[in-house]
Structures are given as structure tokens and as C-alpha cells.
Amino acid sequence: MWNFEVTKLWIVTLMFQYFDCKDCIDTPEGYRGIFESVLETGVGGDHCVARGLMVSIVGPYSYENEDCPMNLNQKPDSISEGGNSTYWAWVSGSHNLEIYLKIAEENVGNPYEAAAEMMRFVGYTEEYIDQTCSYSLTVLPRENLRGLVVPTWASLFLQFEESPFNVTFDWDVSRRLTLQGFSNFTGISGCAGNVINDTCLQEYLETYSILSSIKSEAGTIACVEEFRGMFCNGESASLTQARAFFHGCIDANPLFTGLGYGYSATDNQLTEREYIARNSRLDEIGAASFTLYNPYEDVIQNYTRDSVTLLNQN
């Protein structure tokens, strides 16, 4: 009798799991529709999202007329800016998509604050969250992504040792990066906080500035080749210069943990798993990309809300 009851409970549990899965959002366009509805109405943020979907926040970029001081280029047609010249794009799993719906619900009618909270959750530093710039959300079918990797320090060392990069770090430098690359970022870089400025050590600032400029202009592989030329294929790079390399060439910013999980400076805690995948054109992988925030739509929405308020007052 006991076994029969246990079996019944197991069957009921499976039934609930089946129905839950069946109700989950499982297409990029389906997610887009629900997200935009939640942000507009403040209702419906408690949806599950199928594990076959992944996501990437895109930006900052210029909406028009080079209006974003941090990036004069407009929205890319690939997961990350740069198309084929950018080797990897940062992506997150389906649980982030569920979190983003809750953030949209908490910031109803305020696309900038919703976008800002989403970026903080996924590990953007404050210097890249700017109300004059535009941001998009790209939802991707996981099965169509190429070269999906969990970016721990160890896995990145292996990726860079192989073609087309062929970078070799000093053994002690790689060991210390693994142990301290996140927890002791200030000690390694000299930077007072998570912003790159004149508080940083000169060797960090110089290495990062050179490499990030080359990545922006010519892409990831050109950035890596510059680093190899500067530091004997990477072997002569100090701990500080090696950390600047990861920041400058693949955007592993001060909040990059190297543990395979993101980090929120707002809550000072690990968030969800993060990944890198080969950068791909959106139309080749069945992605849905839509605007999270641009300053022009925000002005129009504020104008509309103000007009409605005045009409109601009259």
C-alpha cells in the first residue's frame, strides 16, 4: 500500500512538471511579446522560461547620429557588436530571462530603470549604463549557438592557448589570476572601484587602453595579436597586464568572477550562470532582438504621460 501511494505521488509530481513545462515561454518572439506586455502593464512577470532559450543584453550603442558617447556605432546585426570581428558574445541562461520579467514588472512604464536593473544584475559596471545610449535584449535558441563555453579562468586559459589565439601565460600568473582575478581586482589593477580611471595602476591603464581600442576598431583576434606582440605571446605579461588583457580583449570587466557565474555589485552577490558563445548574425540563429531602451522613445513616453496628466487636470 505504501509503495502504491508513493507511486501515485510520483505520477502526480510528473504531471505537474509536465504542465509547468508546457506553459513555459519557449520561443524568442513569444518572450518578446510577454516582456513588452509586462513592462507596459506591470502584470504577468511570473512566467517560467524554457531552458532552450538564452539571452544577451546588447549595448550601449547609438540610436542615431552617433548620440551615445561610449559607442558611436548603431545596433549590431549580430549577438555582440563587431560581427565576425568579435569572436565571442556574452550570453546568459533562461533563468535570467525569468528574472528580467520580474524586473520589468517592478519597473512598469519605465524602460530605462528596467534596463539599468537588468544590466546591473548581469554584471554591467555603472560607467556603461547611460541614459543617452540605447540598449536591446536579444533572445536566442540555445541549440543554434556555436561554441558555448562556461568562462571560468581555467576554461579561458585553454581557449586562448589554442588556435587562432596561441597565447601562453606564465604559470604563476595564471594561478594568481584564478585565485585573485576577481576577489582582489583592486589590488591587481590599482583601480578604486569598478571604473577604469586615473586611480588605476599605469600598467593596467595603458594595457587596457591599447587593447580595448584595437578590439573596438579591428576585433578580438587583432586585440590578441597585439597582446602577443607586446608580451612575448603572453609569457612576459605581469599579473596586472594579464588581467587588463582579459578586460580589453573580451570585455571581462572588474565584475567578471571567473567562476562561471555573474556578479551584481548592487547586491554584492553572485547571480546566475554566464556563458560565452561564438558571435553570430541574428538572422542565422533564429534570434529575436528588441529595444529595451532608447532615449527618444523615453522622451515620447514622458511627453505622452505629461499630456495625459494635463488633460485630466483640465
Side-chain angles (χ1 to χ4, degrees), residues 30-81:
Y31 183 86
R32 173 181 182 170
I34 290 174
F35 180 90
E36 291 178 339
S37 174
V38 172
L39 185 59
E40 181 180 350
T41 65
V43 177
D46 191 20
H47 273 82
C48 66
V49 177
R51 295 202 174 193
L53 294 183
M54 304 194 82
V55 63
S56 182
I57 296 177
V58 182
Y61 60 84
S62 291
Y63 186 77
E64 60 181 27
N65 301 324
E66 300 182 343
D67 52 17
C68 174
M70 287 180 291
N71 184 2
L72 304 182
N73 298 320
Q74 294 184 319
K75 179 182 175 181
D77 59 3
S78 51
I79 306 172
S80 183
E81 186 180 13

Side-chain angles (χ1 to χ4, degrees), residues 270-284:
L270 294 177
T271 53
E272 299 301 325
R273 284 199 291 178
E274 61 183 1
Y275 306 82
I276 53 175
R278 288 295 303 272
N279 200 22
S280 303
R281 285 179 54 91
L282 301 181
D283 58 1
E284 294 175 350

